[in-house]
Amino acid sequence: MKRLQLMLAGVSLLLFCGCGMQVQKGNEASSANESKENAVIETMKSRRSIRQYHPQAVNRDTMQIILDCGINAPNGQNKQSWAVRVVDNPEFLDGITEVYKKENPGVEKGPSFKNMFRNAPTVVFIANDTSYDMSPIDCGLMGENMILSAWSMGIGSCCLGGPVRFINTNPAAAEYLKKLDIPEGYQLLYCIAFGHPNETPDAKPRDASKVKYID
């Protein structure tokens, strides 16, 4: 009887230790998940639109991570209805800027003006499929993935519509639009400037009253 009691005590001890380890592992996993979640939230809340950059282009290995995050964004029916063009060639960025300056005299008078993309050394152009009405949403989701992943690695960004409007509508920019080699049936929607930040702007206020629960 005494031997049986010892055996049962041993089994109970093993079970208790096993359960303790399971709980500990569960708590560790929960803490790890919470940390990851908080890191994502912190990235979202700390991100700022950057309009001043250091001159060096974003390393292409880093840029590839950003692009991979972009194309993994949610999109309707997995159509992936975007076309993406990455430009880090100064000749292209400076060339189209010269065209822009000729069409908009005086625009370069700002003391820090270098190019029409907020002086960014790397620009991603995003085109949408005009045959799919939800394509602009897909392209927007992709861009947000890119912006947040970039910020998490210390790369700043700024969404830009003006340069794309100029490239799309101004005949003097046609040469550069052609160089982007946008597929037939697609049109430039917007672009994103990327680079190493040369400023630390404060957060601008957000209007929480625009968000409402409907019961």
Side-chain angles (χ1 to χ4, degrees):
M1 175 66 79
K2 187 174 182 181
R3 184 177 179 184
L4 179 59
Q5 288 175 338
L6 288 172
M7 289 176 63
L8 289 172
V11 170
S12 298
L13 181 61
L14 286 172
L15 288 172
F16 177 80
C17 290
C19 289
M21 291 177 66
Q22 292 280 350
V23 170
Q24 183 178 5
K25 288 181 180 178
N27 288 338
E28 289 174 355
S30 178
S31 296
N33 288 336
E34 185 177 350
S35 296
K36 289 179 182 177
E37 182 182 48
N38 287 344
V40 172
I41 292 172
E42 174 60 25
T43 297
M44 290 179 174
K45 289 192 172 184
S46 66
R47 184 216 61 84
R48 303 286 177 265
S49 292
I50 301 299
R51 295 177 173 85
Q52 295 181 36
Y53 298 91
H54 292 290
Q56 69 268 31
V58 180
N59 178 282
R60 287 198 173 186
D61 290 339
T62 301
M63 202 65 223
Q64 192 57 54
I65 295 172
I66 294 169
L67 294 164
D68 287 343
C69 288
I71 63 175
N72 275 281
N75 63 95
Q77 303 173 48
N78 198 33
K79 286 179 177 287
Q80 302 177 50
S81 60
W82 47 59
V84 183
R85 300 292 182 264
V86 186
V87 179
D88 57 10
N89 179 358
E91 291 183 8
F92 184 105
L93 300 178
D94 293 343
I96 184 60
T97 296
E98 287 302 314
V99 175
Y100 181 73
K101 285 161 60 176
K102 288 179 181 178
E103 298 294 315
N104 298 274
V107 72
E108 77 281 7
K109 288 183 179 179
S112 61
F113 183 89
K114 293 179 181 177
N115 71 40
M116 63 189 290
F117 304 99
R118 296 291 183 177
N119 301 337
T122 303
V123 181
V124 173
F125 295 88
I126 298 170
N128 68 291
D129 181 352
T130 59
S131 70
Y132 178 45
D133 61 347
M134 296 296 176
S135 181
I137 296 175
D138 292 348
C139 291
L141 291 169
M142 179 185 67
E144 183 70 358
N145 267 25
M146 294 170 66
I147 287 167
L148 292 175
S149 61
W151 189 249
S152 75
M153 295 185 288
I155 303 299
S157 63
C158 187
C159 282
L160 301 172
V164 163
R165 186 185 300 114
F166 177 81
I167 293 172
N168 277 338
T169 62
N170 199 299
E175 173 190 353
Y176 291 90
L177 180 58
K178 185 177 180 180
K179 286 181 180 180
L180 289 175
D181 191 28
I182 302 301
E184 185 176 354
Y186 284 69
Q187 68 176 3
L188 279 182
L189 182 63
Y190 70 109
C191 64
I192 308 175
F194 287 99
H196 299 276
N198 194 21
E199 64 170 349
T200 53
D202 293 329
K204 294 181 180 179
R206 294 296 193 263
D207 185 358
S209 69
K210 291 180 177 288
V211 181
K212 294 183 179 181
Y213 288 93
I214 305 299
D215 294 326

